[in-house]
Amino acid sequence: MENYVNKAVEQFRTILEEQIARQRKMEADKAYTDYKKLDKIIIGVCGGDGIGPIISAESERVLKFILKKEIEAGKVEIRTIEGLTIENRIAHNKAIPDDVLAEIKACNVILKAPTTTLKGGTLESANVAMRRELDLYANVRPVAVPEEDIDWTFFRENTEGEYVLGSRGVEIPDTLAFDFKVTTNEGTKRIARAAFEYAKNNGKTNVAIVTKANIMKKTDGKFSEICHEVAKDYPGIEAEDWYIDIMTANLVNPRMRSKFQVILLPNLYGDIITDEAAQLQGGVGTAGSANLGDVYSMFEAIHGSAPRMIEEGRGMYANPTSMLKASEMLLRHIGFTEYADKLDKALNICTETEKKVTLTGRNDGATCSEFGDYVMETIEKM
Ligand code: IPM
Ligand code: MG
């Protein structure tokens, strides 16, 4: 037992020093990409696992169609990045094998399909690793249900909290297990700033700060406190504290939910509640997610890799809507607002108003590429 305790204490020291160094680095780092100033924007597309390669190939096809002029003029390049698969990751025993990471880092922006995340073990999630390696601290997830007057934008902290050391907990066999949750000053400041800036630039008047600071007193306590400090720079925007449990109820309370606009929260609460929110919009298959950093950005679906669809031979019927939503957010982020608006409009026509083609996930519905064709035809007509 003594041996386990000593090892754990030693590990805690290492972790603590690393996290202090991470916070210092965040404070010092001023690097920034202005997409408008790049001669060429390089978009990398990672296929991932399960239905990932199918829906990302379709999104790549749609992006190439939309950006045809810019690609021909050499202003945009789209690269397909291979190797972000569970087989390759297990073979290298790395969340993102080094050569794949180098290819990713040679791009400016990434469109990433779902990747398999193993339960237990020590192989870290590719998502979590990518968010850390590219320092993508803001996970922005919009959810809208116009007929219910719902228009939410979630700002989920994306690099720390329960995730940063999620694969590095401590276990004493047959006795106990420990995980770590980390909240840093700088890590909180930057996500809070991103949320309040968004609110200011989009005419929002309310930011809900969601924690469980009554229980997670140190980490969530800090999160709430720092968010309120940042809020002082944004007069006219109300900063309200909510606990995650009641917030989860509020989102399904028709008398409450339309009042929320921007929702700012630590990593794990943001993970959970955005699935709930997406479900209200029509399911996790309908939502895209932006992972933003100062240098890189990555866009993805919020759902998983649906291995069951592949096992049952239904991969070709996978729904690419969320990856196309992610592509729309990508276009908007790198400055192609007009194209983003067109894709958004087309998706709305194809999935809501016209629906000439329906996706059911089975052979009684359209295939992923038939849907892609439909989206492109719709854009062509605009
Ligand atoms: C998400 C996903 C990921 C997360 C998983 C796949 C690691 O659920 O993007 O919400 O927990 O962040
Ligand atoms: Mg999730």
Side-chain angles (χ1 to χ4, degrees), residues 43 62-71 75-76 324 327-347 375 379 382:
I43 304 174
V62 173
L63 275 178
K64 282 186 172 153
F65 167 79
I66 295 176
L67 291 166
K68 189 164 182 288
K69 239 178 42 205
E70 287 70 17
I71 293 172
K75 292 201 160 357
V76 171
L324 291 170
S327 309
E328 179 233 308
M329 296 172 89
L330 182 153
L331 288 169
R332 202 175 295 287
H333 187 69
I334 61 177
F336 294 113
T337 317
E338 210 178 296
Y339 293 157
D341 287 345
K342 274 194 179 171
L343 179 54
D344 181 40
K345 245 202 204 141
L347 285 174
V375 171
I379 294 174
M382 285 177 183

Side-chain angles (χ1 to χ4, degrees), residues 320-374:
T321 307
S322 55
M323 279 297 276
L324 291 170
K325 279 251 167 86
S327 309
E328 179 233 308
M329 296 172 89
L330 182 153
L331 288 169
R332 202 175 295 287
H333 187 69
I334 61 177
F336 294 113
T337 317
E338 210 178 296
Y339 293 157
D341 287 345
K342 274 194 179 171
L343 179 54
D344 181 40
K345 245 202 204 141
L347 285 174
N348 192 45
I349 292 171
C350 297
T351 62
E352 299 285 338
T353 53
E354 188 182 74
K355 289 201 248 185
K356 262 203 235 158
V357 149
T358 341
L359 291 152
T360 61
R362 303 182 179 276
N363 61 7
D364 57 350
T367 62
C368 181
S369 68
E370 282 165 352
F371 185 78
D373 286 339
Y374 180 32

Side-chain angles (χ1 to χ4, degrees), residues 115-117 125-128 131 139 141 156 158 163 267-268 270-272 274-275 289 291 300-304:
T115 45
T116 300
T117 301
S125 143
N127 282 47
V128 175
R131 291 166 185 169
N139 192 327
R141 298 184 163 183
R156 163 188 176 191
N158 212 22
Y163 279 65
N267 211 339
L268 183 61
D271 173 48
I272 297 168
T274 52
D275 268 18
S289 157
N291 296 263
E300 60 179 343
I302 84 161
H303 59 74

